[in-house]
Amino acid sequence: MKILFQVCVIFVIFNEILSLVYTGDTIICPPNMEPYSIYENSTEEVCDCEENFLYYIKDDSCYEPFRQGPCPDEHYLTLSPTDTVAKCVKNPCGIDGFVPYNGKCQILWAQGKPCEDEFLYLGINKDFQIECSVLGYMGIQENLKTSKSCPKNSYLTSTNEDNTSYACVCKPTFLYSTIDNSCHQAYKQGPCPTGNYIILPSEEQVPRCANNPCHKNGLVPFAGGCHEVGKSGPPCSNDFKLIVDKKTFKLRCIDIYFIDYDDFVGVGGIINAPRKACPAGSRRVLSHCKHMFQ
């Protein structure tokens, strides 16, 4: 009887595991993976990396090529033509999002230079090699410019036409704070004390913490009351939404049917880059680039 009870318990646990993994006939895969049939016309499936992603055996996960991913600082994940397993190697450029191409460090998703045609993009081909093509970088679009070399909530962006230098820029409607070297949503508490929020006052160049008259994180004073940013309708008209203006970082209402995101989504500060991109074949040594290879 004891043995039978143990078998029943194991069977119940096994069924619970299956119920978490399977939905109908399709398995649910971890991030950056999708189900594949083991054999042609087979109903049995396994999880494998999505196209353009590399499998990292050490943590059984998939990552974008030539990005830091699971690797240490100043390294990226690659698959060389002579290897069968992706591995972390030193990034000669030292910056997540920059790669060596034609003897220089270039921003990975650059359009035009260093490519010969202004309509071409720098990216990764199906053999996981860097090249210029019409498709461009095939990574995750929403994380395209997010770099582990930049502070939280900021993007890596090119600062010259050759795409060889960069700056870390706060995400749209975010403000940079020296308190924790990160970017925070305007009119949210962020790094400020309880009951305060981070704002950029008129005629000032540096964001700061200020008292939030609404005394609740997420609510802002507007039109005589306390309201939530991004909400449609009152205190705005029915077809309008309360937003943060990109240029002034002030609160205002905007017609939801004629939204031009460039009108209110913007940059809240250019952050001093933690380091500059060194030429390919060199590495960052304190304040200068030192040649590594003869």
Side-chain angles (χ1 to χ4, degrees):
M1 180 65 71
K2 184 177 181 180
I3 295 176
L4 179 60
F5 176 78
Q6 291 175 339
V7 170
C8 290
V9 170
I10 293 173
F11 181 77
V12 170
I13 294 174
F14 180 73
N15 275 339
E16 289 181 353
I17 294 173
L18 285 180
S19 67
L20 293 174
V21 176
Y22 285 86
T23 302
D25 296 328
T26 302
I27 59 175
I28 299 175
C29 295
N32 305 330
M33 290 187 176
E34 58 186 4
Y36 287 88
S37 297
I38 297 179
Y39 305 106
E40 186 177 357
N41 299 322
S42 172
T43 57
E44 188 175 357
E45 295 180 320
V46 296
C47 291
D48 199 356
C49 292
E50 295 179 1
E51 189 176 8
N52 304 311
F53 283 80
L54 290 174
Y55 177 71
Y56 190 57
I57 194 171
K58 289 186 177 181
D59 65 359
D60 191 31
S61 298
C62 301
Y63 299 92
E64 296 166 283
F66 288 95
R67 299 303 299 269
Q68 182 176 332
C71 304
D73 289 345
E74 300 189 7
H75 287 68
Y76 50 33
L77 189 66
T78 65
L79 178 65
S80 72
T82 58
D83 290 334
T84 56
V85 178
K87 59 184 179 181
C88 295
V89 300
K90 184 73 175 179
N91 180 353
C93 301
I95 299 169
D96 178 31
F98 267 78
V99 294
Y101 184 77
N102 286 347
K104 292 184 178 180
C105 289
Q106 308 282 356
I107 199 163
L108 184 57
W109 46 84
Q111 180 180 5
K113 294 182 180 179
C115 303
E116 296 180 358
D117 191 318
E118 63 177 332
F119 298 106
L120 297 180
Y121 297 84
L122 189 64
I124 313 295
N125 62 26
K126 292 185 177 181
D127 294 323
F128 298 106
Q129 302 301 307
I130 301 170
E131 71 170 19
C132 288
S133 72
V134 294
L135 296 178
Y137 183 60
M138 299 300 289
I140 301 175
Q141 293 299 315
E142 60 196 46
N143 296 332
L144 184 60
K145 296 183 179 181
T146 301
S147 170
K148 289 190 174 182
S149 296
C150 288
K152 184 179 179 181
N153 295 321
S154 66
Y155 290 136
L156 183 74
T157 183
S158 177
T159 57
N160 66 0
E161 292 183 355
D162 292 332
N163 297 306
T164 55
S165 65
Y166 79 102
C168 297
V169 180
C170 288
K171 289 182 179 181
T173 68
F174 279 67
L175 295 168
Y176 176 68
S177 172
T178 57
I179 296 175
D180 59 357
N181 189 39
S182 293
C183 300
H184 301 273
Q185 179 69 59
Y187 294 95
K188 289 291 185 72
Q189 180 178 333
C192 304
T194 302
N196 287 250
Y197 51 24
I198 187 168
I199 61 172
L200 182 63
S202 300
E203 308 303 326
E204 294 189 24
Q205 300 297 318
V206 180
R208 62 178 175 86
C209 295
N211 177 61
N212 182 355
C214 294
H215 307 295
K216 183 178 180 181
N217 187 32
L219 294 182
V220 297
F222 186 80
C226 291
H227 306 278
E228 183 180 349
V229 175
K231 181 181 178 181
S232 300
C236 304
S237 302
N238 289 334
D239 293 334
F240 283 68
K241 177 183 292 188
L242 182 63
I243 57 90
V244 178
D245 187 279
K246 121 177 179 178
K247 296 179 180 178
T248 64
F249 278 87
K250 300 299 179 185
L251 297 166
R252 70 181 179 95
C253 294
I254 187 170
D255 192 331
I256 61 176
Y257 294 105
F258 297 96
I259 287 181
D260 180 354
Y261 286 91
D262 287 338
D263 286 341
F264 68 92
V265 174
V267 172
I270 296 178
I271 306 159
N272 290 330
R275 53 189 177 273
K276 66 180 180 180
C278 298
S282 65
R283 64 185 174 90
R284 190 74 178 157
V285 180
L286 296 181
S287 61
H288 63 282
C289 296
K290 181 178 180 181
H291 194 61
M292 291 179 63
F293 310 106
Q294 299 298 327

